[in-house]
Amino acid sequence: MLFPRRCCCCCCCYCQLFHLLSTFIPLKLHQIMNPLLSQTTMNSFQSFLFHYLHNKKAKLLGLWLIWVWGFILIGVSFYATQFMPLPSYFKGQIKKTMLFNGELVDGPSITIFTAPRPFVGTVGERQTLAIRSWLGLSPDISVVLFSQDSSVFSFAELFSHRVSVEPNIDFTFLGTPFFHSMVARSKASSSDVSVVIDPNTVLLPDFIKTIRHAHRLDHDWLLFSSSKSVPHFPFHLDADGKHWIRDGGSRVKTQKDFLSQEWKWNLCEEKMLIAWNSGDLPLHKGVLPPFLYGKGLHNRWLINEALLSDFRFVFDASWAISNLYLNDLGQDFDRTSGDFLGLATGKRFWEVAGNSNLAMLYGSLYFHEQNFSNIFRLFQCGGYYLFINSAKMVVYPLRYKGSSSLGKEVMFKSTREKNTLECIDTIRSTEGAKDCSVKNYLNVSMPISLSLSLEILLSFRADKNKTVVLAVVGYSYKDMLMSWVCRLHHLQISNFLVCALDDDIYEFCVMQGLPIFKYAHLETKISFDNCHFGTECFQKVTKVKSRMVLEILKLGYNVLMSDVDIYWFKNPLPLLSSFGPAVLVAQSDEYKLTGPINLPRRLNSGFYYAHSDAMTIAALEKVVEHAANSNLSEQPSFYDMLCGEGGYNRIDDSRCLEPQTNLTVQFLDRDLFPNGAYKDLWQERNVKEACLMKGCFIIHNNWISGRRKKLERQVPSGLWEYDMSTRMCLQTWHKTKFVYF
């Protein structure tokens, strides 16, 4: 008796469910069901069903009718959903699979990173053609341009959101981007695949196909593809950027039309693209040195380290990806040319020498160069992607997620069909990277020297008012120098120069791309940890600062002298220059909260502004001469010569007047230019916030003895802008945690 009861209950529930659906479903569903089920039909159905529920046949018939009507309801429901609005999530999924150039697009997001030169002349035309070729391959591709040039920003605006400019990486003072900073920024991308490529490289459709196949691998990977050198490219893109047109006007139908050209392929050259997926594994062990992009060896170094580290599956996709480098033969580096310094062509010998030096000193490229003949090569043969290891004479098919983990022991050998063997023979006959050795490029006899005179540097670096910011520093303060430089970069202050007190800091600054010149008459060796205030080393080193300031003043340039232990909150030059000529503006070292700020020996020679005029030059000559005959540092000489011994040249609580030259010395407001002891600002829980509340332009990390103690105070305070472990300025996208002690 339980079965009929359950059957009866099921029928009642079904009828109630049908009644609810008929009442509350959307209007379209109701309109659809009315022709199928009238009220009379429904009543008849119920009467018939309940009449036969008490016999066995009626039970079976009732069950069948429940199933039939259930399927009818499901079908009607599916039909009704066609009239319902789609949620935004599903709209996004449908949009992702829209057709692009006739192909179904459902691939990974790809960001291509490159560092273009300014978009002018033939250089701009080549770069424009190359970038348009990338964008035309897929809507999943976006482009990031590393540059600070205005023409690059103007170019990016033409392509809306698909092309953007990233100025916040490290550049040399002549505008060359650092490769390690480019890679770090690329690794911070949220894209599925990141690509670093030369801005003159045209990509063909097999690029996007290969990347989509590689993205399906079940192991983190890194691929590279050498470029074919193209001195003349007889094709251009149509207005939509989707079709290639010959110079004669006919449309290119297949990719074979490109590949049939007699274009040189030299795998030994550095022109190549490098791509990797956004996996959890690093690209290589250790730290990428500060190579200069486009100056040689950085690509080979990265690939060599990735192979040795064995974190990722590294393979050569040169036979699967067609990338054509639009070569400009007129821009080759020529040591015999009149532009040996490369200031016009951009080919600067010290940049090439610097990369060679880094490749020899860091990593294993010089001592343990990988044999590229043992690397796996990806190629397409007969419509299939295959891996070949020509050294071992084995071929593996490309396998995807869901099979097994990717690795040498996982990829199974395929049968060697005739067409596969033909493809292998073609690859083996190609002159490959195994015939190259980077040691041929490492034997560079050129010194690490900028070879730019002070006069040339001043002409390049001075602002429109002929003003420069000068730092004088030894190797022991290289970390504080770089934090200071990075801060000026963030403030977009570019008119600074660095004077090197020893050979080590000079070479370091050349490698870091700084506008550096060497003081040639230093008579003492700079101690690394024992050249702080009060030491004999400090006394001799500080006297160099006033000599260099005087030399620059005589060349007709105004100088803001700044120690590197000074943190800049904002640009002080507009304020300092407003005092006009014949006024030397200096920081006060007075720590007392009340009273005069120009008391004896309270002029800080680590931060002052000097105008290039006859009175200032004459006064500085007196300071330099007095300091040369003193066994103290230059700081007492500044005060005694300008404000008088005991302060007898003081004219009020913040000024002095040197009577012989008629030079006024203005001591700066300490709320705006605080020294290291003023109001214990360095003891504040949030030093930056406390200074900004006062409107500080700078804060001096002085009144503390020793390099290490300065670092221990400044780095934890947050007033630090440089990561010494990676040799990069800290950026908003930077993820590295750093320790400096």
Side-chain angles (χ1 to χ4, degrees):
M1 297 300 293
L2 293 175
F3 179 77
R5 181 174 299 176
R6 274 187 289 188
C7 180
C8 186
C9 292
C10 290
C11 293
C12 291
C13 291
Y14 170 79
C15 295
Q16 292 174 6
L17 176 62
F18 179 80
H19 177 71
L20 289 173
L21 289 173
S22 304
T23 306
F24 296 108
I25 60 173
L27 181 59
K28 280 289 181 183
L29 182 60
H30 188 67
Q31 292 173 346
I32 294 166
M33 293 188 64
N34 275 342
L36 297 177
L37 298 173
S38 65
Q39 185 63 40
T40 303
T41 304
M42 191 64 210
N43 292 337
S44 299
F45 165 75
Q46 292 178 350
S47 175
F48 172 80
L49 187 61
F50 284 106
H51 180 73
Y52 288 101
L53 280 177
H54 298 286
N55 57 66
K56 186 175 182 180
K57 292 182 178 180
K59 297 173 186 177
L60 295 175
L61 181 60
L63 287 174
W64 278 108
L65 286 174
I66 291 172
W67 279 102
V68 169
W69 286 111
F71 279 114
I72 291 174
L73 281 175
I74 292 173
V76 171
S77 299
F78 276 120
Y79 180 76
T81 57
Q82 299 179 19
F83 300 94
M84 298 174 63
L86 285 175
S88 58
Y89 169 79
F90 291 104
K91 288 182 179 179
Q93 293 297 312
I94 292 174
K95 183 178 180 180
K96 188 178 180 182
T97 58
M98 291 176 62
L99 289 176
F100 183 78
N101 285 356
E103 293 186 9
L104 192 64
V105 176
D106 190 15
S109 58
I110 303 169
T111 301
I112 299 179
F113 297 87
T114 191
R117 294 165 64 185
F119 281 85
V120 294
T122 57
V123 172
E125 293 174 0
R126 289 198 308 272
Q127 293 178 159
T128 299
L129 180 63
I131 294 172
R132 291 185 66 212
S133 76
W134 311 342
L135 297 173
L137 296 176
S138 168
D140 291 327
I141 292 178
S142 58
V143 176
V144 174
L145 307 176
F146 295 120
S147 180
Q148 296 175 329
D149 188 82
S150 59
S151 67
V152 178
F153 283 89
S154 299
F155 171 82
E157 292 176 356
L158 301 176
F159 298 91
S160 185
H161 64 282
R162 294 193 64 190
V163 179
S164 59
V165 183
E166 175 59 272
N168 298 316
I169 65 166
D170 292 347
F171 295 86
T172 70
F173 78 98
L174 291 173
T176 303
F178 279 93
F179 181 67
H180 70 319
S181 188
M182 292 172 57
V183 172
R185 174 61 183 86
S186 303
K187 288 167 63 178
S189 169
S190 60
S191 293
D192 298 325
V193 176
S194 296
V195 182
V196 177
I197 191 173
D198 189 277
N200 297 288
T201 303
V202 168
L203 293 177
L204 300 183
D206 57 8
F207 164 79
I208 192 68
K209 294 179 181 178
T210 302
I211 292 297
R212 287 174 181 169
H213 278 82
H215 183 64
R216 296 169 63 189
L217 293 171
D218 59 353
H219 194 280
D220 288 346
W221 51 266
L222 179 147
L223 69 81
F224 64 93
S225 175
S226 298
S227 303
K228 288 187 176 181
S229 181
V230 181
H232 174 64
F233 191 65
F235 306 96
H236 63 275
L237 285 166
D238 62 9
D240 295 331
K242 297 179 180 179
H243 302 289
W244 287 101
I245 308 296
R246 292 183 178 87
D247 286 347
S250 60
R251 179 182 293 186
V252 178
K253 296 182 180 180
T254 65
Q255 184 167 309
K256 293 181 179 179
D257 293 332
F258 291 99
L259 304 181
S260 63
Q261 305 291 320
E262 295 295 329
W263 290 329
K264 182 181 178 182
W265 193 8
N266 185 358
L267 299 183
C268 300
E269 294 182 355
E270 275 283 304
K271 303 302 181 184
M272 62 176 65
L273 71 82
I274 299 178
W276 61 86
N277 71 308
S278 59
D280 298 326
L281 296 177
L283 301 183
H284 58 85
K285 295 178 181 177
V287 177
L288 183 60
F291 289 109
L292 296 181
Y293 180 68
K295 307 304 176 181
L297 297 175
H298 50 74
N299 287 335
R300 291 294 294 268
W301 191 97
L302 177 60
I303 295 168
N304 197 78
E305 293 303 309
L307 286 168
L308 279 176
S309 301
D310 203 26
F311 291 142
R312 290 172 173 254
F313 175 55
V314 182
F315 60 95
D316 184 355
S318 299
W319 286 265
I321 296 177
S322 302
N323 58 106
L324 311 175
Y325 173 69
L326 307 183
N327 189 22
D328 181 9
L329 299 178
Q331 293 295 326
D332 289 341
F333 177 48
D334 182 6
R335 292 183 177 86
T336 64
S337 68
D339 186 41
F340 180 58
L341 298 180
L343 300 180
T345 63
K347 300 291 183 178
R348 296 173 279 269
F349 71 89
W350 67 83
E351 295 179 331
V352 178
N355 275 15
S356 177
N357 184 272
L358 289 172
M360 288 190 292
L361 293 178
Y362 297 94
S364 54
L365 183 61
Y366 182 72
F367 303 101
H368 194 177
E369 181 182 358
Q370 290 292 288
N371 187 349
F372 275 38
S373 63
N374 292 327
I375 196 172
F376 280 99
R377 299 174 182 174
L378 178 67
F379 67 102
Q380 192 174 14
C381 185
Y384 296 94
Y385 281 93
L386 302 173
F387 284 108
I388 179 176
N389 188 316
S390 58
K392 298 181 180 180
M393 284 299 297
V394 291
V395 179
Y396 306 102
L398 181 60
R399 306 218 35 205
Y400 303 126
K401 297 176 182 178
S403 53
S404 0
S405 298
L406 181 63
K408 296 177 182 178
E409 74 284 355
V410 181
M411 292 180 287
F412 58 88
K413 296 182 180 180
S414 66
T415 58
R416 297 186 175 181
E417 300 177 354
K418 181 179 180 180
N419 60 340
T420 303
L421 290 175
E422 292 176 352
C423 294
I424 295 172
D425 290 339
T426 301
I427 293 176
R428 297 191 68 199
S429 64
T430 305
E431 183 180 1
K434 63 182 181 181
D435 299 322
C436 316
S437 175
V438 295
K439 292 184 179 180
N440 297 332
Y441 301 88
L442 292 174
N443 296 326
V444 180
S445 59
M446 293 180 296
I448 308 298
S449 176
L450 199 58
S451 297
L452 297 178
S453 66
L454 176 59
E455 291 81 359
I456 293 177
L457 285 173
L458 286 168
S459 66
F460 277 139
R461 302 297 287 174
D463 64 13
K464 61 182 180 180
N465 298 319
K466 297 193 68 176
T467 300
V468 294
V469 180
L470 177 66
V472 180
V473 65
Y475 188 72
S476 60
Y477 276 78
K478 68 180 188 304
D479 42 10
M480 302 198 80
L481 165 67
M482 290 309 304
S483 179
W484 180 81
V485 167
C486 292
R487 183 57 188 168
L488 295 193
H489 284 161
H490 291 161
L491 294 174
Q492 298 182 350
I493 299 172
S494 60
N495 59 323
F496 64 88
L497 293 176
V498 180
C499 175
L501 293 176
D502 54 60
D503 292 333
D504 291 336
I505 191 64
Y506 178 80
E507 184 172 311
F508 174 83
C509 289
V510 172
M511 304 286 279
Q512 291 295 125
L514 302 184
I516 182 79
F517 65 96
K518 187 186 299 185
Y519 179 71
H521 306 292
L522 192 64
E523 299 176 355
T524 183
K525 183 175 177 61
I526 306 299
S527 171
F528 192 81
D529 281 314
N530 194 30
C531 200
H532 50 80
F533 183 82
T535 63
E536 181 181 356
C537 173
F538 177 83
Q539 293 170 5
K540 291 184 177 181
V541 164
T542 56
K543 295 176 183 180
V544 176
K545 297 188 291 186
S546 55
R547 295 172 190 169
M548 293 313 308
V549 170
L550 180 58
E551 183 175 346
I552 295 174
L553 291 176
K554 290 181 177 180
L555 291 173
Y557 295 88
N558 311 316
V559 182
L560 170 55
M561 174 65 214
S562 175
D563 284 346
V564 296
D565 61 351
I566 295 177
Y567 186 87
W568 291 35
F569 293 101
K570 50 188 174 180
N571 188 355
L573 279 171
L575 174 62
L576 300 180
S577 61
S578 66
F579 287 92
V583 178
L584 188 140
V585 187
Q587 184 182 43
S588 171
D589 234 4
E590 179 58 61
Y591 60 90
K592 295 180 180 178
L593 299 182
T594 59
I597 64 175
N598 60 348
L599 292 176
R601 303 286 175 89
R602 288 303 185 223
L603 187 152
N604 190 308
S605 62
F607 187 86
Y608 63 90
Y609 178 85
H611 195 274
S612 179
D613 56 67
M615 288 174 285
T616 304
I617 291 174
L620 259 293
E621 286 177 334
K622 293 182 62 176
V623 172
V624 170
E625 182 180 359
H626 184 274
N629 298 314
S630 170
N631 58 357
L632 301 176
S633 69
E634 68 170 4
Q635 191 153 300
S637 297
F638 264 89
Y639 191 89
D640 291 351
M641 289 294 98
L642 301 181
C643 291
E645 293 185 11
Y648 60 79
N649 291 338
R650 292 174 55 228
I651 56 177
D652 57 29
D653 289 347
S654 62
R655 291 185 300 165
C656 301
L657 180 64
E658 203 288 312
Q660 294 182 359
T661 62
N662 205 31
L663 175 74
T664 299
V665 179
Q666 175 68 57
F667 286 73
L668 290 165
D669 184 346
R670 290 175 298 166
D671 282 336
L672 303 181
F673 298 87
N675 60 64
Y678 181 65
K679 290 188 176 180
D680 291 327
L681 287 174
W682 281 107
Q683 309 306 318
E684 293 283 347
R685 182 175 181 180
N686 190 326
V687 181
K688 185 174 185 178
E689 182 179 337
C691 289
L692 291 177
M693 288 286 290
K694 291 182 175 295
C696 296
F697 283 85
I698 64 163
I699 184 172
H700 202 152
N701 189 9
N702 64 343
W703 282 95
I704 189 171
S705 182
R707 178 188 65 88
R708 180 173 293 274
K709 291 183 179 179
K710 288 177 181 286
L711 289 172
E712 290 173 348
R713 180 162 75 172
Q714 186 169 344
V715 175
S717 72
L719 304 183
W720 193 260
E721 306 288 336
Y722 185 66
D723 183 354
M724 280 298 295
S725 65
T726 61
R727 291 195 182 183
M728 283 188 285
C729 292
L730 296 174
Q731 308 288 353
T732 55
W733 48 264
H734 207 281
K735 299 179 180 179
T736 303
K737 296 181 180 180
F738 48 94
V739 179
Y740 294 91
F741 311 119

